[in-house]
Amino acid sequence: MCNAKFCQRRGIRHRVLGRLLALWVLAWSHAAGADEAQTLHLPAADPMSPSRSLAIHAALDMPQATPLIKAFHRHYPQIDVRYRNMSTLELYQGFLRDPQGVDVVISSAMPWQFSLANDGHARALAPKTLDHWPEWAQWRRELVAFTFEPVVMVYHRKLTDVAKPPTNHARLLSLLQEHQDRLRGRVATYDPAESGAGYSYAMEDARLSPRYRELVAALGGVKANLETTTSRMLEGLASGRYWLGYNLLGSYARAFVDRHPQLEYVIPDDYALVVQRLAFIADEAPHPQAAERFMRFLVSRRGQQVIDRDTTLGAVHPAVVDRSAQQRASSHSALRPMELDPQLLAALDRLKRRALLSRWQRAFQQGKASPAIAE
Amino acid sequence: MTPAKSLYGRLLVWLSLPLIALGSLLFTQAWRDSRAAADHAFDRLLQAATLSIAEQVQWQDDELWLDLPPAALQMLSGRDQERVFYTLVDDSGRYITGNARLPAYAGSRSPEADTVVYQDVQWLGMTVREGIRPTRLEGWQNRERFTVRVAHTREGRQRLAGDLWWNSLAAILGMGLLSLALLLLAVRAALAPLTRLRHAIRSRHPRSLSPLTLILPGELAELRDVINQLLARMRRVRTNQERFIGDASHQLRTPLAGISARAELALRQDSPEQWHEALSTIQMTSERTGRLATQLLSLTRLDNPEYAPAPERLDLNGHARQALHEHWPAFHQAQVDLGLDSADQPVTVKATPWLLDEALNNLLDNARRYGADRVTVRTLSAPPAIQVEDNGVGIAPAQRRLALRPFHRLYDDPGGSGLGLAIVDSIARHHGARLVLDDSEQGAGLCVTLSFANAAE
């Protein structure tokens, strides 16, 4: 897509494109109820001197955000915190409309966040704030990746009746190809055309795996259902309508699977995409000091412990994730965080999107049309 | 001693100032070179990125189509995490895609196809380096032109330029320090003979006036020779002084011995007449000895180089007249005719009055003693001069120089000291005047002229 800033400036030249954009980006949000306006206000402990306040706009659901914000406020009770959860598109457009109205912006739409920072909308953090922070989880000291959310597969126990559940992409491909008839309509994945998250996973998959085209064809072969959010896929899986979900956002899936014993959660062991929430301080933030405090809290041991313990987002801090890092090293050396570099910008390119989607759809339709490949 | 005043310091300052100027010039040049080198290195990335993007441009659905290779953007952002911008425009400059609308090439000449041109531009308030590649599709039917523009921020370039600069800075600084050290050594070596000379002079015996025999480089050899000349002059002066002292003691001893002998003789006699006679002899002799001592004193005073009497403007006529007046009784007693022949108008010269009078006294005294029976004092106006002429026996030309030396007596006269003309000569030299001894115009006799022709006014 063209830079949304310009679309706006020019009064949305392409109306059709604009609507496409809206549809697409709306789906970046994985929130169950993205349309509910969700806010959290923690007033300063001493209301007589509301000298310091902090406005956080985020695409991060309330159940995940609340423990984090509350922990921060316990730490800095003198700061008046206003948290607002919204969809990634609202967040992005709202920020461009009023870049002075917010201090901290948090979103999992990595290309959008990167694009904002690339255009100079983010303020660099103090050098010592990120001293201990891994190099791969920051960009120019402006963008900070503070969560670690693998993209996973989730299956219903019914799947085990049919075949051994897949543990990686190759097994998934052969499973889909071998049991095309039994699995018809039982598989769900993101619709890359409708969901921003789905699109960026498709792009990464295509980059990482040369056999991704076959996988898309196989998904087409089982007439996979194309969903727009992780929650809708999880609901379908819980109800038994779907047996297998591919490319679900792990942070939501983990909590859901914990509550639903009929579901299982698989992190592929050949490669697994990892999405990270990116946070930055707006360049024209009205309260840069409070914002810096918040960012410091996000990357601090304390903040990361809250993320590790009270949310399913996954911590990044090397000291906090020590245990799970060992696990990662042993079983999931294949975790591939989406790199924080200008490659992300390609995801926003209008023509790139058209090229990728047309290839994807061609493969998907081909799979639908052709019969199962006999093994 | 401040450094600028010592020779060493001056040399150092004047040698190191150009060195420093040269060094700063090298620094700026090194900075420019480093920048150019860094730009050159990083511009290749822009070139590669534009090529990589241009290769993915196709014609599809009646429009330009780009399957953007993400790696093309990644290669522009290295260790320094530069911000990256790209734009694809068609032949007419219409925006096709990109995350920015980078400006077209601002250069006067439109770039050739498939040649990348670079420029520094401002984008979103940042200085970015832009690479622009105009090219065209390589299709069978369609050879549509288009332009790829990519840009990134300058952090990496600055770091590389800084690194390169630091390296050359270290080299330049090292060289500078080395040359400074060499400079110190060179200056020290060059000034070593001077130190030797100083030591040689300092270690001499304080009374020694022997010449320096040091072997020195040309410039200092000159200085040594000048010093040696000075020493030679001092040796001569000392010899003269020693002779003068010898002569003076001799001159004083003779009358004193006479007095002593006469007194001894008188003491052996009983007659008061003889005592009286002895006493008057003693009185005469001691009077003469007293005058001799006075003359010695004034000569010593005049010979003292530190003695600087204050001259004033005076009229020679007046002084001549006064001298005549004072000497007339003595001349009258000796039956010598004394006359004055003064110039018509006042003859003004710059002189010390009492010295001028002393000179006239001596000249008149000499004239009275040795000058027969006729003495004339004359003042001349052009050049200003005063003359004393007599009609005595005169001085032979060969003797005239010797006559000026102290204690040189031309006549065997117990009343003369041999100092008179020496004193006049000394006074003349003091005034920058010229003393000329000549034959009298009347044929016989002496004419002494004190000419102020060259005297400083």
Side-chain angles (χ1 to χ4, degrees):
Chain A
M1 201 81 243
C2 74
N3 193 323
K5 196 167 159 187
F6 290 111
C7 288
Q8 248 178 3
R9 212 179 272 165
R10 295 161 69 221
I12 312 211
R13 207 182 66 180
H14 307 291
R15 278 187 168 275
V16 184
L17 278 174
R19 213 171 301 143
L20 246 169
L21 167 86
L23 265 173
W24 168 47
V25 187
L26 198 64
W28 273 107
S29 170
H30 314 285
D35 44 4
E36 291 172 31
Q38 290 172 302
T39 57
L40 178 66
H41 180 209
L42 299 174
D46 180 7
M48 298 316 285
S49 61
S51 53
R52 282 182 287 181
S53 52
L54 177 64
I56 303 168
H57 287 186
L60 178 63
D61 285 353
M62 296 315 286
Q64 308 274 16
T66 308
L68 200 57
I69 304 301
K70 281 190 171 162
F72 172 72
H73 194 257
R74 262 199 308 283
H75 220 67
Y76 295 103
Q78 72 275 27
I79 296 178
D80 182 275
V81 185
R82 285 172 189 278
Y83 177 85
R84 201 167 154 219
N85 180 36
M86 50 183 105
S87 78
T88 48
L89 176 66
E90 276 176 325
L91 186 64
Y92 180 78
Q93 292 186 334
F95 178 79
L96 287 178
R97 215 166 26 241
D98 180 19
Q100 296 167 347
V102 59
D103 296 308
V104 176
V105 180
I106 297 172
S107 172
S108 59
M110 292 173 75
W112 291 80
Q113 292 285 86
F114 190 88
S115 169
L116 288 176
N118 189 57
D119 286 351
H121 287 299
R123 173 193 287 257
L125 297 171
K128 65 176 183 348
T129 304
L130 294 175
D131 266 352
H132 62 290
W133 203 243
E135 282 294 322
W136 55 266
Q138 51 175 299
W139 188 71
R140 291 181 72 102
R141 291 195 283 112
E142 292 173 5
L143 277 180
V144 176
F146 67 99
T147 65
F148 198 85
E149 306 167 47
V151 174
V152 300
M153 296 188 253
V154 174
Y155 64 88
H156 195 279
R157 289 193 189 283
K158 283 185 193 162
L159 181 68
T160 50
D161 299 341
V162 179
K164 219 175 128 201
T167 52
N168 56 38
H169 290 83
R171 292 261 173 91
L172 173 68
L173 177 59
S174 52
L175 177 78
L176 292 177
Q177 286 171 341
E178 284 166 26
H179 305 280
Q180 200 188 60
D181 293 332
R182 301 279 312 267
L183 291 176
R184 183 159 294 139
R186 295 293 187 185
V187 178
T189 190
Y190 264 118
D191 182 352
E194 296 290 316
S195 153
Y199 169 69
S200 71
Y201 302 164
M203 198 169 148
E204 282 293 298
D205 271 333
R207 197 167 68 84
L208 289 171
S209 165
R211 298 182 69 192
Y212 180 62
R213 199 179 178 284
E214 285 177 56
L215 184 62
V216 175
L219 284 168
V222 297
K223 300 203 165 35
N225 294 278
L226 301 181
E227 293 285 7
T228 52
T229 65
T230 289
S231 358
R232 299 222 356 221
M233 284 190 261
L234 287 171
E235 278 159 23
L237 280 159
S239 68
R241 193 152 49 90
Y242 304 143
W243 291 353
L244 179 65
Y246 173 66
N247 274 2
L248 282 77
L249 188 60
S251 51
Y252 293 102
R254 208 170 96 197
F256 194 86
V257 167
D258 287 347
R259 291 197 304 273
H260 298 83
Q262 71 273 35
L263 301 182
E264 282 292 337
Y265 169 98
V266 177
I267 299 176
D269 59 15
D270 50 357
Y271 72 88
L273 300 177
V274 175
V275 175
Q276 294 186 289
R277 309 264 160 178
L278 300 184
F280 67 85
I281 301 178
D283 190 41
E284 297 170 272
H287 316 105
Q289 280 168 346
E292 181 90 29
R293 287 242 163 86
F294 181 74
M295 294 296 274
R296 218 179 299 152
F297 175 77
L298 271 190
V299 299
S300 71
R301 196 176 192 147
R302 208 181 299 263
Q304 289 281 303
Q305 268 163 354
V306 172
I307 289 175
D308 190 47
R309 208 173 46 227
D310 302 336
T311 75
T312 52
L313 295 171
V316 176
H317 196 296
V320 173
V321 294
D322 202 35
R323 183 173 38 83
S324 48
Q326 275 172 2
Q327 283 175 0
R328 276 179 207 164
S330 56
S331 64
H332 294 299
S333 57
L335 287 170
R336 297 283 165 76
M338 281 168 68
E339 279 169 47
L340 268 181
D341 66 30
Q343 294 196 59
L344 288 169
L345 292 173
L348 299 178
D349 189 85
R350 168 179 80 96
L351 293 176
K352 174 80 183 171
R353 177 176 160 79
R354 264 164 66 182
L356 191 107
L357 286 183
S358 72
R359 273 205 301 278
W360 196 93
Q361 258 140 7
R362 215 160 36 237
F364 194 73
Q365 296 304 332
Q366 256 170 23
K368 260 186 173 172
S370 65
I373 301 158
E375 287 294 308
Chain B
M1 190 154 60
T2 59
K5 283 188 180 159
S6 85
L7 211 54
Y8 192 64
R10 286 169 77 110
L11 272 173
L12 270 191
V13 166
W14 285 111
L15 287 173
S16 46
L17 276 182
L19 205 69
I20 288 167
L22 203 71
S24 351
L25 211 70
L26 282 176
F27 281 167
T28 44
Q29 186 57 39
W31 172 238
R32 273 198 214 137
D33 288 351
S34 311
R35 265 184 72 108
D39 267 345
H40 188 69
F42 275 79
D43 282 348
R44 298 188 74 94
L45 293 177
L46 290 175
Q47 191 186 13
T50 52
L51 181 64
S52 162
I53 292 174
E55 279 173 347
Q56 296 297 325
V57 176
Q58 297 154 22
W59 187 257
Q60 204 166 321
D61 303 339
D62 284 337
E63 61 174 344
L64 282 170
W65 179 275
L66 167 66
D67 185 2
L68 180 70
L73 301 182
Q74 193 199 11
M75 72 170 82
L76 292 177
S77 175
R79 209 174 98 194
D80 298 284
Q81 304 186 313
E82 291 96 338
R83 303 175 199 274
V84 174
F85 306 96
Y86 70 98
T87 311
L88 173 68
V89 295
D90 68 8
D91 193 25
S92 60
R94 196 170 60 90
Y95 168 86
I96 303 296
T97 187
N99 74 334
R101 280 154 199 262
L102 293 170
Y105 185 56
S108 49
R109 238 156 20 95
S110 58
E112 288 169 44
D114 272 314
T115 316
V116 183
V117 288
Y118 310 96
Q119 62 182 6
D120 285 320
V121 293
Q122 289 291 317
W123 178 252
L124 299 175
M126 298 172 273
T127 306
V128 298
R129 181 79 165 170
E130 186 184 6
I132 297 160
R133 177 188 290 270
T135 183
R136 67 194 319 164
L137 289 171
E138 292 297 331
W140 287 346
Q141 305 109 5
N142 199 314
R143 289 178 57 79
E144 178 82 10
R145 290 171 183 278
F146 63 91
T147 302
V148 178
R149 301 175 189 156
V150 300
H152 64 170
T153 45
R154 301 196 54 107
E155 292 89 349
R157 294 162 188 265
Q158 273 159 5
R159 187 176 51 77
L160 181 59
D163 287 353
L164 290 173
W165 192 56
W166 267 113
N167 287 344
S168 41
L169 207 75
I172 292 171
L173 272 178
M175 254 154 60
L177 286 178
L178 195 70
S179 34
L180 206 68
L182 287 175
L183 206 72
L184 282 171
L185 286 176
V187 169
R188 202 174 278 267
L191 291 182
L194 203 64
T195 316
R196 272 197 296 139
L197 182 63
R198 198 178 61 215
H199 283 308
I201 293 175
R202 190 176 286 169
S203 61
R204 285 165 70 90
H205 190 272
R207 295 187 60 83
S208 163
L209 291 176
S210 60
L212 293 163
T213 51
L214 229 55
I215 296 168
L216 290 168
E219 297 87 343
L220 286 178
E222 261 171 50
L223 182 64
R224 180 198 58 199
D225 294 346
V226 170
I227 291 176
N228 280 344
Q229 279 167 21
L230 185 70
L231 286 172
R233 222 161 39 228
M234 281 170 71
R235 275 199 306 279
R236 271 200 305 280
V237 166
R238 201 159 76 181
T239 316
N240 280 343
Q241 273 178 347
E242 278 163 2
R243 198 176 59 219
F244 179 81
I245 290 167
D247 288 352
S249 355
H250 182 73
Q251 292 296 321
L252 287 173
R253 203 185 54 194
T254 313
L256 286 177
I259 290 171
S260 176
R262 192 75 186 85
E264 203 182 328
L265 188 66
L267 281 175
R268 272 196 233 129
Q269 287 161 345
D270 303 325
S271 136
E273 290 85 27
Q274 281 169 326
W275 290 349
H276 187 269
E277 193 190 340
L279 277 175
S280 55
T281 312
I282 287 173
Q283 191 215 1
M284 235 165 61
T285 313
S286 57
E287 219 171 81
R288 212 175 60 223
T289 313
R291 204 172 59 239
L292 178 67
T294 312
Q295 278 183 325
L296 276 173
L297 204 63
S298 52
L299 195 60
T300 317
R301 216 153 51 155
L302 284 170
D303 277 348
N304 183 358
E306 312 261 304
Y307 177 67
E312 55 187 68
R313 300 182 71 82
L314 47 81
D315 182 14
L316 284 182
N317 287 342
H319 280 264
R321 207 171 300 126
Q322 202 194 335
L324 218 69
H325 186 70
E326 278 169 15
H327 282 265
W328 194 82
F331 274 73
H332 181 69
Q333 205 175 13
Q335 294 185 333
V336 178
D337 179 24
L338 178 62
L340 174 65
D341 179 5
S342 69
D344 299 338
Q345 65 263 45
V347 182
T348 318
V349 296
K350 216 169 171 190
T352 313
W354 74 266
L355 284 178
L356 186 67
D357 291 340
E358 180 76 14
L360 276 175
N361 285 344
N362 277 292
L363 287 178
L364 285 173
D365 216 34
N366 278 354
R368 178 171 54 81
R369 280 174 206 277
Y370 317 114
D373 57 356
R374 194 180 166 81
V375 173
T376 310
V377 177
R378 195 176 290 122
T379 57
L380 304 166
S381 56
I386 189 159
Q387 262 180 358
V388 176
E389 188 180 18
D390 63 46
N391 59 347
V393 290
I395 304 174
Q399 297 281 314
R400 281 175 192 159
R401 253 193 113 65
L402 284 172
L404 299 182
R405 281 175 59 170
F407 307 112
H408 188 86
R409 276 195 244 177
L410 297 171
Y411 317 100
D412 192 17
D413 168 29
S417 61
L419 289 174
L421 278 178
I423 291 172
V424 176
D425 184 40
S426 208
I427 290 172
R429 268 187 278 122
H430 256 279
H431 287 88
R434 213 150 56 87
L435 183 69
V436 182
L437 305 188
D438 213 342
D439 289 330
S440 161
E441 280 175 18
Q442 294 146 2
L446 180 70
C447 174
V448 183
T449 311
L450 191 57
S451 165
F452 292 85
N454 301 323
E457 263 298 304

